[in-house]
Amino acid sequence: MFQKKHILVIDDDEKLRKLLKSFLFEQGYLVDTSKDTHTAKIKMSNILYDLIILDVMLPQESGITFAKKNKNIINIPILMLSAMSEVEDRIKGLKTGVDEYLCKPFEPEELLLRIQNIIKRRSVLKTEANSIILGDCIFNYKDHILIFNKDKIVLTLNESKVLFYLYKKSNFAVKREELANILKVSDRSVDVIIKRLRQKINHIPNHRNLLLTSRGIGYKMEVDTL
């Protein structure tokens, strides 16, 4: 029976990717794999993972760099793998804010226990794990609620999807057509959804930066100015 936890394995070792996918699948997890951070980001833009297993030594962009850039943005726990077992290397990895650091080679049982521990810790803090801080607001993307000064702003599923997607693409303009494709609606419907969402949040400080219009392109969220 699936535990309904979705894991993304990012490792350039094809053999290890296949072994981890097979092993974790047998343990009841859903598993996707990527050979580098570029393909991983594409998958992450469409799927909300429960855990990322991240190798340190990757082509183009290292696991360390990826974790530093994205740990606070994606709000997904990271278990870092590395063939480097020196104390200094482990400290460097942990300083990126990853949740666990495991040296290669490792026993499958130890990996499984670490995964279970990470997920258990996140379950205790379920509300926080499903929430993002947006300036003076807390956005719970699972329950589709925006909380400001203890007031709950109930969002529709599509409004929540728009807000969450713009957050994942923070500071970059997202094409209207891209949002329409994600929501499976027309370009015009995207504008209507944005308009209604703006009406719901117009009393929140800096609300305009949550849903900025990018002329000739679409919309974006400026998280640095919230």
Side-chain angles (χ1 to χ4, degrees):
M1 180 178 178
F2 283 114
Q3 300 178 31
K4 297 182 180 179
K5 298 298 181 182
H6 208 156
I7 297 174
L8 175 62
V9 177
I10 310 175
D11 199 303
D12 62 339
D13 185 331
E14 183 178 4
K15 183 179 179 180
L16 182 58
R17 289 199 308 273
K18 289 181 178 179
L19 286 172
L20 287 178
K21 184 169 184 175
S22 176
F23 171 70
L24 294 174
F25 183 84
E26 290 175 356
Q27 302 303 316
Y29 293 99
L30 295 171
V31 184
D32 289 333
T33 64
S34 293
K35 63 180 180 179
D36 53 40
T37 59
H38 175 70
T39 53
K41 289 173 186 175
I42 295 174
K43 292 183 178 182
M44 289 165 60
S45 68
N46 295 303
I47 299 172
L48 183 60
Y49 292 99
D50 296 289
L51 174 69
I52 294 173
I53 297 178
L54 175 67
D55 187 32
V56 169
M57 302 299 290
L58 292 169
Q60 300 174 2
E61 181 183 43
S62 72
I64 295 286
T65 301
F66 174 83
K68 281 182 178 178
K69 287 181 180 179
N70 298 283
K71 183 64 175 70
N72 293 328
I73 296 175
I74 60 178
N75 194 30
I76 302 172
I78 296 175
L79 192 164
M80 182 169 280
L81 303 179
S82 176
M84 299 181 290
S85 59
E86 296 297 325
V87 175
E88 293 82 1
D89 295 319
R90 294 200 299 272
I91 291 175
K92 186 176 180 181
L94 290 169
K95 278 186 174 180
T96 63
V98 300
D99 297 78
E100 290 278 0
Y101 188 99
L102 184 60
C103 297
K104 296 178 179 179
F106 52 81
E107 291 294 328
E109 186 177 357
E110 181 180 4
L111 173 68
L112 185 61
L113 287 172
R114 287 178 183 262
I115 289 173
Q116 291 171 345
N117 286 338
I118 292 173
I119 291 175
K120 185 183 293 183
R121 290 200 299 267
R122 284 290 173 130
S123 296
V124 172
L125 301 173
K126 188 172 184 293
T127 301
E128 288 82 355
N130 294 336
S131 300
I132 300 167
I133 296 176
L134 298 176
D136 297 321
C137 302
I138 297 176
F139 173 40
N140 188 307
Y141 50 81
K142 289 283 189 179
D143 296 331
H144 316 304
I145 293 173
L146 197 63
I147 303 172
F148 172 66
N149 283 346
K150 297 183 179 180
D151 292 331
K152 292 184 178 180
I153 303 171
V154 180
L155 308 176
T156 66
L157 176 59
N158 280 344
E159 288 169 349
S160 185
K161 283 183 177 181
V162 166
L163 208 56
F164 187 59
Y165 193 74
L166 291 179
Y167 172 77
K168 289 197 294 182
K169 300 287 186 176
S170 295
N171 304 322
F172 290 96
V174 176
K175 292 181 179 179
R176 182 179 285 101
E177 296 82 3
E178 189 173 345
L179 289 172
N181 183 55
I182 291 170
L183 302 178
K184 294 180 172 54
V185 299
S186 66
D187 293 0
R188 174 57 183 161
S189 294
V190 170
D191 294 333
V192 173
I193 292 169
I194 292 287
K195 182 180 179 180
R196 290 175 178 171
L197 185 51
R198 281 173 170 163
Q199 291 172 345
K200 289 185 178 182
I201 66 173
N202 61 12
H203 62 291
I204 298 174
N206 297 324
H207 69 276
R208 290 183 178 83
N209 294 324
L210 287 171
L211 296 168
L212 285 170
T213 297
S214 183
R215 291 188 178 181
I217 301 178
Y219 302 97
K220 70 176 178 176
M221 180 185 293
E222 291 281 3
V223 295
D224 296 336
T225 54
L226 292 175

